[in-house]
Amino acid sequence: MGPLGSLGGIAFAISCGAYLVESNQGHFADDLSILRTEPTVAAYRASVISARYSRHLAAEMYGQPPEHGYVFGGSGGSPRTILCLEKAPDVYDGAIPYIMGHVTSWSLGFSVQANATRVLGAKIYSVIDAMEPGGTGNPFTGLTSGQRDALARLYRSGLPRGAEASILTSGYLGTFASHVSALMEFDPEYFQDFWSLPGYEGADGLLAASVIEKKSTVQKVVSAGDLRESLDQGVGQGNMSLVWHAHGAPETPVGIVLDGIDASNLHGATLTITSGSAAGHELYCVGVHGDIVVGGADTPYRFDGVAPGDEVLVDNRRYLAYCYFHRYQVDPAAPEYAQFQLDGRPIYPQRPLFSKSGLLSGDTPTGTFAGKLIVVQNAHDAACWPNGAVSFQRLVREQLGEQADRQFRLWFMENAAHIPASMQPAGAPPTPKNRLIDYEGCLEQAIRYLIEWVEDATEPPPSSPYEIDVNQCFCLARTPPARKGIQPVVTLTVGGQARADVKPGQPVLFEASAAPAPGVGRLVAVEWDFEGGGMWELKEPVPVVSDSVSEFTSTHVFQEPGTYFAAVKVTAERNGDVSAQYGRMTNLARVRVVVS
């Protein structure tokens, strides 16, 4: 179900006494047309049939079929994972969906995020800085009224505080490009009504200055290899869609350079090829790097057949309509939609709920299942917010009642985004590797707990307690006993604060406190990254392998003026094995040091 990085590899499966099955879920590479023709194939049927057939092969190879089956998947694979467990109890005894979005109200997250990012523009960097450790804590400083409104909508929809930097790599443009054809199939009139009927932002004339409609010609076709070489020369904190496209087959045409058009504001625009052998092909701008416009869609052709001199129509009306799509998709049962209602009635005209269509998922999880299920959700994920998992937890409790705690767990991972830190674009300090963790070790340990829960009836650690207020501000408990779950807890201060102002050459003392989750293991490693480069240059052994709170200190001298984000990262392992390859559960904490 789409494992990230090394997670779920054959070696890990062997370490669990299992074999691994991986399905293409009924589609090949980026060709997602199956979602429009027979979505249940991609939703669960291809995976179930693959796993069921594997049992026959296992019986031939090993003399007997497996006794148990498990399924895991992240992001778009999380609802598919749940559907596999619900639809095929004869195949699967347990499931781990992770980094999951809403199963009942899909439209909100990416649409409201697209609009906020569009409206904020370069101001997103001041928002990020305000919410970083040692920042002002007020992300609205210096924003226009329109920018303030868009940002407030984003927070009230569930964007985790502290996850603002992850917006830059969340892939919301790629999601738009892969889903827009399904949106148009489901409600084709929306993209017309938005520009013609009163009550819609476009028809009311409020977006006239934002509309782009231009004709151009292709100056150059850019391959994945060309794009990768360009990114390697300095991507900064780049759009993850750029990185994905750059790491395709080197000869694949993934972008174009347009003649006479400023590419910097083309994000989301429809690119229609109007001449040449690719005439009629439509793609969407999912990223811009310099003058390179990278295109994506739910079709595999990309810029195949496009040549210099071909004509292109650039029009962003469809994307602008998408940026407000969430206003017209109110789900009364979801608390985050309260901002779009008054006295129980939607403020804006309403369309049929796309989340109920099944065009993307083929089916919707019901929250009723026979096996065991553990959700692993990241608390600083700008692509799949914490309230996505909370909505599913709410559904499970409604369906299973008192049985829920005997079949279900929800664990949150702090300082984890959609993409593991080591797979993020590096960029300039502070890089994602300084502020985010690799969460695969937590997932590996979750899989082990799931196996024990199913096969030995051993109860896994309890779910993570949390609070969500009326503004969708998500908070985890700050102390290890209260946090529960499986991730260690760590804090860091400099001079007892989150920020220190020092002189060059002045020694700076950092003080950290850390502990594993209760009953989950012991601390086995401590690492320091003082200048924000994500290099973790100082690695020190834990003097006494501890299953309780431990204190750590370190001193660093900053020689050059600047703003630095110093960080400490701790690792826990269930058995206290410092050399363990799998199940290494990490967390980190950061402070700001201003040297002047």
Side-chain angles (χ1 to χ4, degrees):
M1 303 297 293
L4 291 171
S6 62
L7 171 69
I10 294 174
F12 174 69
I14 292 173
S15 76
C16 296
Y19 65 80
L20 179 69
V21 179
E22 186 171 1
S23 165
N24 70 356
Q25 299 174 67
H27 67 89
F28 295 93
D30 295 324
D31 182 1
L32 301 177
S33 56
I34 189 69
L35 295 176
R36 299 197 306 274
T37 55
E38 186 48 69
T40 57
V41 170
Y44 61 91
R45 286 167 53 197
S47 296
V48 169
I49 290 298
S50 299
R52 192 171 280 143
Y53 179 60
S54 79
R55 291 173 173 260
H56 295 284
L57 294 180
E60 293 178 0
M61 296 176 66
Y62 305 119
Q64 64 182 49
E67 296 182 10
H68 301 281
Y70 306 95
V71 58
F72 63 92
S75 191
S78 59
R80 295 180 174 95
T81 295
I82 298 168
L83 286 169
C84 284
L85 184 65
E86 291 185 353
K87 301 288 186 179
D90 63 312
V91 177
Y92 303 109
D93 301 284
I96 296 187
Y98 60 96
I99 49 176
M100 67 184 302
H102 273 275
V103 298
T104 58
S105 52
W106 172 85
S107 68
L108 187 58
F110 286 111
S111 174
V112 73
Q113 185 176 153
N115 192 53
T117 308
R118 178 188 70 85
V119 174
L120 285 169
K123 285 290 186 179
I124 184 66
Y125 294 101
S126 68
V127 170
I128 292 169
D129 184 72
M131 301 302 285
E132 286 278 76
T136 65
N138 183 0
F140 297 97
T141 301
L143 302 185
T144 66
S145 59
Q147 290 170 333
R148 290 167 187 256
D149 180 72
L151 182 59
R153 298 286 188 190
L154 182 61
Y155 281 131
R156 289 171 180 157
S157 299
L159 178 75
R161 279 55 163 179
E164 295 80 6
S166 295
I167 293 174
L168 299 174
T169 57
S170 70
Y172 63 91
L173 287 169
T175 301
F176 161 71
S178 63
H179 290 172
V180 65
S181 60
L183 292 175
M184 292 190 296
E185 179 183 338
F186 174 66
D187 188 2
E189 291 81 13
Y190 169 73
F191 292 91
Q192 303 166 16
D193 294 348
F194 182 83
W195 296 100
S196 60
L197 296 182
Y200 293 87
E201 201 85 358
D204 293 343
L206 301 178
L207 295 174
S210 300
V211 173
I212 297 173
E213 184 179 13
K214 296 181 179 181
K215 293 182 179 179
S216 182
T217 56
V218 175
Q219 195 177 85
K220 177 184 177 182
V221 179
V222 179
S223 69
D226 295 334
L227 179 61
R228 181 161 61 248
E229 182 178 349
S230 179
L231 294 180
D232 287 344
Q233 294 171 1
V235 63
Q237 296 201 38
N239 184 326
M240 201 66 197
S241 292
L242 294 177
V243 178
W244 287 334
H245 284 77
H247 284 80
E251 68 280 1
T252 304
V254 297
I256 54 177
V257 176
L258 292 169
D259 186 41
I261 291 186
D262 177 13
S264 63
N265 62 348
L266 296 186
H267 295 89
T270 307
L271 310 170
T272 305
I273 313 300
T274 58
S275 71
S277 61
H281 285 187
E282 279 189 349
L283 293 96
Y284 300 91
C285 174
V286 297
V288 174
H289 183 65
D291 58 357
I292 301 172
V293 178
V294 176
D298 62 352
T299 55
Y301 52 70
R302 295 293 184 258
F303 289 103
D304 288 345
V306 176
D310 286 353
E311 296 176 350
V312 181
L313 174 63
V314 181
D315 188 335
N316 72 340
R317 286 185 177 87
R318 202 173 285 171
Y319 182 63
L320 290 174
Y322 169 78
C323 285
Y324 291 87
F325 183 67
H326 54 276
R327 291 187 174 185
Y328 315 106
Q329 294 281 301
V330 169
D331 181 353
E336 49 270 31
Y337 278 96
Q339 60 181 311
F340 303 111
Q341 301 177 79
L342 183 65
D343 297 334
R345 290 189 295 269
I347 299 170
Y348 303 100
Q350 292 301 292
R351 315 293 301 194
L353 287 179
F354 179 71
S355 59
K356 309 298 184 183
S357 70
L359 283 174
L360 291 182
S361 64
D363 208 336
T364 301
T366 65
T368 302
F369 48 87
K372 311 292 188 184
L373 190 149
I374 300 174
V375 175
V376 179
Q377 191 77 348
N378 293 342
H380 291 88
D381 186 347
C384 291
W385 302 339
N387 58 10
V390 170
S391 72
F392 182 65
Q393 182 184 50
R394 189 164 54 239
L395 179 64
V396 170
R397 286 175 172 170
E398 290 172 357
Q399 297 299 317
L400 299 185
E402 295 181 357
Q403 184 66 24
D405 286 341
R406 291 190 284 272
Q407 293 180 244
F408 178 82
R409 291 290 188 274
L410 169 56
W411 295 332
F412 284 102
M413 300 300 120
E414 190 180 29
N415 299 306
H418 205 68
I419 305 299
S422 61
M423 296 177 64
Q424 299 263 1
T431 70
K433 295 177 184 178
N434 168 268
R435 60 180 176 81
L436 299 172
I437 63 165
D438 284 336
Y439 56 87
E440 294 100 317
C442 294
L443 285 167
E444 290 163 353
Q445 189 55 54
I447 291 171
R448 288 173 168 172
Y449 275 125
L450 178 67
I451 293 172
E452 293 175 1
W453 200 8
V454 168
E455 299 182 15
D456 303 326
T458 301
E459 289 279 334
S463 294
S464 306
Y466 57 85
E467 293 181 359
I468 298 182
D469 67 15
V470 293
N471 291 313
Q472 291 297 299
C473 181
F474 174 84
C475 294
L476 291 170
R478 298 312 309 164
T479 61
R483 178 74 62 88
K484 300 183 181 179
I486 63 172
Q487 187 186 35
V489 177
V490 57
T491 61
L492 178 65
T493 59
V494 53
Q497 304 295 324
R499 169 176 172 151
D501 292 83
V502 302
K503 301 293 184 183
Q506 176 182 341
V508 180
L509 175 65
F510 298 94
E511 298 175 296
S513 174
V520 170
R522 298 177 179 178
L523 297 180
V524 294
V526 178
E527 301 171 75
W528 297 88
D529 176 46
F530 297 109
E531 301 193 1
M535 301 302 294
W536 303 104
E537 57 268 23
L538 178 60
K539 304 182 192 311
E540 56 180 282
V542 179
V544 177
V545 176
S546 175
D547 58 1
S548 59
V549 177
S550 298
E551 308 293 335
F552 306 95
T553 61
S554 191
T555 302
H556 185 72
V557 176
F558 297 87
Q559 301 292 353
E560 300 295 331
T563 298
Y564 301 90
F565 287 93
V568 62
K569 180 167 62 175
V570 301
T571 301
E573 201 277 331
R574 185 181 185 184
N575 300 311
D577 183 355
V578 296
S579 61
Q581 181 179 0
Y582 303 113
R584 298 177 66 86
M585 298 166 282
T586 62
N587 199 356
L588 59 80
R590 305 164 69 229
V591 293
R592 182 189 304 234
V593 179
V594 179
V595 183
S596 60

